[in-house]
Amino acid sequence: MSKIQGLVSKIIRFSSVDGPGNRLVIFLQGCNMNCISCHNPHTIGICNYCGICIDECPVKALKLEDDSKRIIFDDTVCVNCDYCLKVCPMSSNPRARWMTIDEIIEEIGPVAPFLSGITISGGEATQQIDFVKEVFTAIKGDSELSFLTNFIDSNGTATIDQWESLLPVMDGAMIDLKALDSKVHFELTGIDNESVLATISYLYSRGKLHEVRLLIISGINDEEKLIKDTVKYLAGVGKDIRVRLIPFRQHGVREEYGHLKETDLEMMGKIKDVFLREGFRDVYIT
């Protein structure tokens, strides 16, 4: 088995919202975007072992290893208060751990009979694309796991060459489109959207685009013209695209972005109607 390792923030054994069916979800640590609306901001950064979380942990579940100077997490002591996540200046997770392909397969094996597939998310999964490819390859090559589908939940910033390398072992991808307008996209994420748009078109052309996800934030990316332009753009790619509309909620968002307004369902319904009038049929609000 490959010796490559991935930095894993968390594994959820059962999820019905991260791709089709019941899925085991692997959240990788690290993201190349810094979204103001991020609901998992502790997956953005990589721990620099500053030790702040060690002093702040109320149950002393964290310590600094003498040899490696890395933070060691004791899950037998942790009470999941998440205080270490709140005090981290790096938007990181000191409980993230490096895992081998063997260890990932060991996590999947016991629950595989109850699953439809595996989803690798983040952070941003494609920041560790070699690890993702090895995990998917191992699943496809395992006689007891090969029935599982391999999906990625991504911000779409991988290069076309990177996506192409995954095609033989990837069954589908959910791609986030933060905003069609590049300036708005930059305001939301800190980078432009050129690679995201290229990803959507490429994966659709290869039959690997499971859905496009639009997180709608009141007063930022819900302007009527922007929505209409987004609908027309996606229609130009393919009206059979599955579209998931997600209303922004404050839960989990960093305190400095507490001014962002939550999106009401009436507005979401109007946006859905724009898609339906354009000829889309697979449009959902979650």
Side-chain angles (χ1 to χ4, degrees), residues 2-282:
S2 171
K3 294 182 179 180
I4 192 172
Q5 294 184 325
L7 186 57
V8 178
S9 181
K10 187 177 184 179
I11 295 178
I12 296 179
R13 288 191 166 188
F14 302 109
S15 171
S16 60
V17 296
D18 294 283
N22 192 25
R23 312 189 70 78
L24 180 143
V25 186
I26 303 165
F27 293 90
L28 299 185
Q29 188 70 31
C31 187
N32 57 333
M33 287 186 179
N34 187 21
C35 299
I36 63 177
S37 58
C38 184
H39 294 277
N40 297 297
H42 57 276
T43 65
I44 295 174
I46 303 297
C47 179
N48 66 352
Y49 315 114
C50 67
I52 291 176
C53 59
I54 296 175
D55 297 331
E56 297 291 341
C57 179
V59 295
K60 306 304 178 185
L62 302 167
K63 67 178 182 179
L64 196 65
E65 187 177 58
D66 292 334
D67 294 335
S68 68
K69 300 302 180 183
R70 292 188 174 185
I71 292 177
I72 303 301
F73 163 58
D74 186 348
D75 61 358
T76 65
V77 177
C78 178
V79 293
N80 294 310
C81 67
D82 289 343
Y83 198 65
C84 58
L85 306 182
K86 298 175 184 177
V87 300
C88 179
M90 297 295 295
S91 292
S92 185
N93 179 5
R95 295 175 291 185
R97 62 188 178 115
W98 290 96
M99 297 184 68
T100 65
I101 305 301
D102 284 340
E103 288 173 325
I104 294 293
I105 296 302
E106 288 174 6
E107 287 279 343
I108 298 171
V111 296
F114 308 100
L115 298 174
S116 304
I118 308 301
T119 296
I120 301 185
S121 186
E124 171 49 37
T126 60
Q127 289 293 102
Q128 301 184 54
I129 199 161
D130 291 338
F131 180 72
V132 172
K133 184 177 180 180
E134 292 290 340
V135 171
F136 285 174
T137 299
I139 291 171
K140 293 298 185 185
D142 189 312
S143 60
E144 296 183 356
L145 302 179
S146 59
F147 70 95
L148 298 171
T149 56
N150 293 329
F151 276 67
I152 286 182
D153 189 346
S154 171
N155 62 23
T157 54
T159 66
I160 299 304
D161 287 345
Q162 288 176 317
W163 287 118
E164 187 173 11
S165 72
L166 286 178
L167 290 185
V169 290
M170 182 183 78
D171 295 293
M174 289 81 71
I175 304 298
D176 296 326
L177 177 56
K178 311 294 185 181
L180 182 68
D181 183 277
S182 186
K183 291 182 179 179
V184 177
H185 193 278
F186 188 89
E187 177 185 351
L188 287 170
T189 69
I191 64 175
D192 65 37
N193 62 2
E194 183 178 354
S195 58
V196 181
L197 300 180
T199 284
I200 290 172
S201 295
Y202 175 74
L203 292 180
Y204 177 83
S205 72
R206 301 305 297 271
K208 298 290 187 176
L209 183 64
H210 177 67
E211 71 181 17
V212 172
R213 296 181 171 183
L214 305 177
L215 176 65
I216 307 299
I217 308 173
S218 293
I220 296 183
N221 65 352
D222 65 340
E223 193 267 333
E224 184 177 0
K225 182 179 184 305
L226 179 56
I227 294 299
K228 289 182 177 179
D229 288 346
T230 302
V231 172
K232 289 181 179 179
Y233 174 81
L234 291 176
V237 178
K239 293 184 180 180
D240 57 336
I241 291 176
R242 177 187 177 96
V243 178
R244 186 170 296 275
L245 303 174
I246 306 171
F248 171 73
R249 293 290 179 262
Q250 269 287 341
H251 178 73
V253 175
R254 287 167 286 187
E255 291 183 4
E256 58 262 43
Y257 301 117
H259 62 281
L260 297 177
K261 298 179 181 179
E262 295 194 347
T263 310
D264 62 59
L265 290 180
E266 181 180 358
M267 171 60 73
M268 298 303 294
K270 291 179 179 178
I271 294 173
K272 179 179 179 179
D273 287 342
V274 178
F275 276 95
L276 296 178
R277 287 195 298 270
E278 188 65 30
F280 287 83
R281 290 292 176 264
D282 209 358

